[in-house]
Amino acid sequence: DGCGHLVTYQDSGTMTSKNYPGTYPNHTVCEKTITVPKGKRLILRLGDLDIESQTCASDYLLFTSSSDQYGPYCGSMTVPRELLLNTSEVTVRFESGSHISGRGFLLTYASSDHPDLITCLERASHYLKTEYSKFCPAGCRDVAGDISGNMVDGYRDTSLLCKAAIHAGIIADELGGQISVLQRKGISRYEGILANGVLSRDGSLSDKRFLFTSNGCSRSLSLDPDGQIRASSSWQSVNESGDQVHWSPGQARLQDQGPSWASGDSSSNHKPREWLEIDLGEKKKITGIRTTGSTQSNFNFYVKSFVMNFKNNNSKWKTYKGIVNNEEKVFQGNSNFRDPVQNNFIPPIVARYVRVVPQTWHQRIALKVELIGCQITQGNDSLVWRKTSQSTSVSTKKEDETITRPVPSEETSPGVNITTVAIPLVLLVVLVFAGMGIFAAFRKKKKKGSPYGPAEAQKTDCWKQMKYPFARHQSAEFTISYDNEKEMTQKLDLITSDMADYQQPLMMGTGTVTRKGSTFRPMDTDSEEAGAGTDAGGHYDCPRKHSLSSGGLSPVAGVGAQDGDYQRPQSVQPADGGYDRPKAASAFATESGHPDSQKPATHPGTSDGCRARRDCLAPLNQTATTALW
């Protein structure tokens, strides 16, 4: 068995040779088949390749699909950084013979949905852009490599990107995921902390540091010690003065000074039955928890591991479970009585009541806690986890929308669209008012009477108009103006929002950086940075600043409109006599912008007394006029 670290999930994963980054063993074979969902192409990225053989006779790395073969690779030969296969499945074969040294290999893979895939070995110092987005594969947590810093102050630029993202609670190691990185000026000292199973170390001064953008639900949730925190039991100790010290659940808030909560039972051989319960007063979204031990140097008490239970009003307690195996998730707790440890919930817990249930501890159960999260808002009140799609291509702009907009709740009907309901409703109201106007004009003329013809003739023609109120075409200009103004407003808002949210990337410089100690590692070349800056659909590819003045909006302004006519509908021109109603093609003529289409042609012998269409009279010919006289 020559295979080492291997973590796979739906459409991404990480794989190494045995003992990586130490020397791989002699005379072993590692053979694994990796797949992504059918219909997707497989992307392979080699983060490191160090195989001693120069001929690939006994030591080599080989990729084989149903139709192609890639390799064998070994020694100092040129190896492609990335392989884009024409299949969704490939077999990885690594073989070793007798050798003296060699780290072996590390590779990551993902589906073609993630063209911005990086390996677990990429560091922030490999990228010069101030803002960028990348996809981290599953399985980077346990890959060798240091990180320095924390999720609040940021991370030293020499830290591994994907490992730091797991530490910060941005992605889960079992899943991988998209990360958005902001590069900032460095600070003098980086403080380390244990979080999500990753130990971050203290770091020294650096020129650059980086932070991650998040959804903003990472604030401390306030806890009332009097009514919100209770426990299964509590301990009372006696101090040096002979006074009793009560380690009550009300002392379990992380920000409070003094001793913590401690359970009354100190035995370590019983089944876990102690718990600390927190009532948040209402249902909230909980994205993480920070814990410490007793915080007292002469009481070396702390909880080494725990599980989380949660519930809402009148419901049963549920145990928080892992994403992949659906088993109860055991969180890594503290390793001493003093230092805080953070664990994030991916997906978050949405509940009013939570319980911390210790599983293992040192000497006695002792806890101080702080919950991280936010209030429930419309759209985030249900426990929704959007797993990686197996069938839909995911663009980074869509990912950006996912970060800034709340996920619709399960109670919301997915088929309802406000626009599709509003537009027909507005048109219906316009048509109703138009019909009422025709009816009012008819009644007014009926009361006044007509000097040009008998009332019976007037009644016949106007009744025809009442019976078919929609026979006349509405103004095509009004219809086009309504649609275009709406479309233009939407597109202008989108462009303005993009320009406000994203700043032009600042290029810090170029150049080639070489590193020793590896046959193959990612290189920082000009061409690579250019490629990184033009990743398809990158989160922080901002629009050009001259787009508004250089005609960037021309596709919007030019849809179905000329000379600015789409900005405001023109008033309807009174029709000349000779037409009981407009020509059938008049609506289309107006749209074409032809000058003759604005009014029907005038016929000789038409009486001026019947100019307006609303008069509801047919034109009088010469014979009828003579008869009236």
Side-chain angles (χ1 to χ4, degrees):
D1 179 13
C3 294
H5 175 71
L6 176 65
V7 177
T8 63
Y9 185 70
Q10 287 184 355
D11 65 349
S12 73
T14 301
M15 182 178 178
T16 72
S17 55
K18 200 166 187 175
N19 295 337
Y20 181 88
T23 302
Y24 58 89
N26 291 321
H27 305 293
T28 58
V29 174
C30 170
E31 187 168 292
K32 296 287 183 183
T33 299
I34 55 179
T35 62
V36 293
K38 290 184 178 180
K40 309 292 183 183
R41 299 177 68 184
L42 189 60
I43 301 175
L44 299 175
R45 284 186 70 91
L46 278 165
D48 187 16
L49 182 68
D50 183 26
I51 298 175
E52 190 175 22
S53 172
Q54 299 297 318
T55 61
C56 300
S58 58
D59 297 51
Y60 61 86
L61 179 66
L62 177 68
F63 304 106
T64 307
S65 68
S66 57
S67 57
D68 297 299
Q69 178 174 302
Y70 306 87
Y73 302 116
C74 66
S76 57
M77 66 173 55
T78 302
V79 181
R81 281 197 61 188
E82 181 177 290
L83 294 172
L84 179 58
L85 280 57
N86 292 318
T87 179
S88 61
E89 181 177 291
V90 71
T91 299
V92 181
R93 182 180 176 87
F94 171 69
E95 187 168 335
S96 69
S98 297
H99 67 283
I100 299 173
S101 65
R103 292 183 304 274
F105 73 94
L106 179 143
L107 70 86
T108 61
Y109 74 91
S111 73
S112 50
D113 286 344
H114 309 293
D116 51 355
L117 170 71
I118 62 176
T119 74
C120 303
L121 301 179
E122 254 83 356
R123 300 177 185 270
S125 54
H126 296 163
Y127 301 96
L128 299 180
K129 295 182 68 175
T130 57
E131 298 181 2
Y132 54 92
S133 176
K134 298 294 178 182
F135 181 82
C136 288
C140 287
R141 182 186 64 192
D142 299 325
V143 171
D146 289 344
I147 64 170
S148 297
N150 55 72
M151 60 288 296
V152 177
D153 302 323
Y155 297 87
R156 202 175 193 276
D157 63 346
T158 54
S159 302
L160 299 178
L161 277 170
C162 295
K163 198 168 186 176
I166 297 168
H167 182 269
I170 302 299
I171 60 174
D173 181 60
E174 304 94 324
L175 308 178
Q178 201 77 25
I179 61 171
S180 298
V181 183
L182 306 176
Q183 188 166 246
R184 296 291 182 260
K185 185 179 179 180
I187 56 178
S188 59
R189 181 179 177 272
Y190 298 87
E191 184 177 349
I193 183 178
L194 176 63
N196 300 301
V198 177
L199 178 60
S200 171
R201 304 184 184 278
D202 291 348
S204 59
L205 171 70
S206 71
D207 183 50
K208 299 289 182 183
R209 65 185 167 110
F210 64 93
L211 301 112
F212 298 101
T213 60
S214 65
N215 57 12
C217 191
S218 57
R219 298 182 297 275
S220 175
L221 298 176
S222 60
L223 307 177
D224 181 3
D226 295 330
Q228 285 186 292
I229 307 176
R230 65 192 193 98
S232 54
S233 67
S234 59
W235 181 50
Q236 288 187 350
S237 65
V238 179
N239 61 18
E240 297 175 353
S241 304
D243 299 327
Q244 284 194 342
V245 178
H246 192 194
W247 298 61
S248 66
Q251 298 170 198
R253 297 195 307 175
L254 186 63
Q255 64 268 35
D256 291 347
Q257 299 296 320
S260 66
W261 163 71
S263 69
D265 190 351
S266 63
S267 61
S268 59
N269 56 359
H270 67 282
K271 293 182 179 179
R273 60 175 179 265
E274 300 289 334
W275 46 261
L276 180 72
E277 180 181 315
I278 301 168
D279 177 7
L280 294 171
E282 61 180 348
K283 187 165 63 172
K284 292 186 179 180
K285 184 177 180 181
I286 309 161
T287 58
I289 184 173
R290 295 188 185 101
T291 61
T292 65
S294 68
T295 68
Q296 305 299 303
S297 59
N298 52 338
F299 295 98
N300 190 21
F301 305 155
Y302 54 90
V303 173
K304 295 191 289 185
S305 65
F306 61 91
V307 299
M308 294 296 297
N309 292 344
F310 61 94
K311 78 180 186 99
N312 288 304
N313 296 331
N314 303 320
S315 65
K316 295 182 179 180
W317 288 100
K318 298 178 182 178
T319 301
Y320 189 86
K321 296 183 177 180
I323 302 167
V324 177
N325 53 20
N326 201 33
E327 297 177 355
E328 71 174 27
K329 184 165 184 175
V330 179
F331 294 93
Q332 182 177 346
N334 298 85
S335 57
N336 58 53
F337 67 89
R338 178 186 63 251
D339 297 326
V341 171
Q342 177 166 324
N343 283 279
N344 288 82
F345 306 130
I346 303 176
I349 295 173
V350 178
R352 172 179 173 176
Y353 302 93
V354 294
R355 276 184 180 179
V356 182
V357 184
Q359 301 294 295
T360 58
W361 53 89
H362 181 71
Q363 294 187 10
R364 183 185 292 272
I365 295 172
L367 268 178
K368 282 192 174 186
V369 300
E370 180 183 39
L371 294 179
I372 306 164
C374 57
Q375 297 286 339
I376 294 292
T377 59
Q378 184 180 3
N380 73 357
D381 58 343
S382 58
L383 188 58
V384 178
W385 177 243
R386 306 176 75 178
K387 294 187 179 180
T388 307
S389 171
Q390 297 191 23
S391 57
T392 306
S393 179
V394 180
S395 69
T396 51
K397 284 195 175 184
K398 191 70 176 177
E399 295 266 282
D400 207 38
E401 291 179 4
T402 304
I403 292 175
T404 55
R405 299 179 184 176
V407 179
S409 64
E410 292 177 336
E411 291 80 16
T412 304
S413 171
V416 175
N417 188 315
I418 295 176
T419 305
T420 58
V421 174
I423 292 177
L425 186 60
V426 171
L427 292 178
L428 179 61
V429 171
V430 171
L431 292 175
V432 169
F433 276 102
M436 292 174 64
I438 294 172
F439 179 72
F442 161 67
R443 292 295 298 270
K444 183 176 180 181
K445 289 299 179 181
K446 183 175 181 180
K447 288 180 181 179
K448 288 184 178 181
S450 174
Y452 299 108
E456 189 67 24
Q458 180 182 359
K459 179 180 178 180
T460 303
D461 280 344
C462 286
W463 174 250
K464 181 177 180 181
Q465 304 258 345
M466 286 291 296
K467 190 173 181 181
Y468 304 101
F470 303 110
R472 292 180 179 175
H473 294 283
Q474 284 189 320
S475 168
E477 284 186 21
F478 177 82
T479 305
I480 294 172
S481 171
Y482 180 87
D483 291 339
N484 280 346
E485 286 175 2
K486 182 175 182 63
E487 180 180 357
M488 177 151 181
T489 302
Q490 291 175 340
K491 293 192 176 182
L492 276 173
D493 288 345
L494 178 61
I495 292 173
T496 306
S497 172
D498 285 346
M499 292 186 69
D501 289 343
Y502 303 114
Q503 300 297 326
Q504 191 74 16
L506 175 63
M507 299 306 294
M508 304 303 297
T510 57
T512 302
V513 180
T514 60
R515 287 176 297 279
K516 298 181 180 181
S518 174
T519 303
F520 174 79
R521 283 184 183 273
M523 301 298 295
D524 303 324
T525 63
D526 291 350
S527 60
E528 177 186 344
E529 290 303 326
T534 56
D535 283 349
H539 276 245
Y540 300 98
D541 291 339
C542 61
R544 297 286 185 187
K545 294 195 175 186
H546 58 74
S547 60
L548 290 174
S549 60
S550 61
L553 293 179
S554 58
V556 179
V559 179
Q562 295 180 1
D563 300 327
D565 290 343
Y566 69 95
Q567 297 290 346
R568 181 178 59 202
Q570 297 181 359
S571 59
V572 180
Q573 299 288 343
D576 287 338
Y579 290 92
D580 181 43
R581 57 188 180 197
K583 289 182 180 181
S586 63
F588 303 99
T590 302
E591 185 175 350
S592 68
H594 196 283
D596 295 338
S597 65
Q598 300 298 323
K599 61 182 179 177
T602 305
H603 290 270
T606 302
S607 172
D608 290 337
C610 196
R611 268 190 184 278
R613 300 176 188 172
R614 64 175 178 268
D615 288 345
C616 303
L617 289 175
L620 301 176
N621 58 30
Q622 188 66 33
T623 306
T625 306
T626 304
L628 285 174
W629 284 105

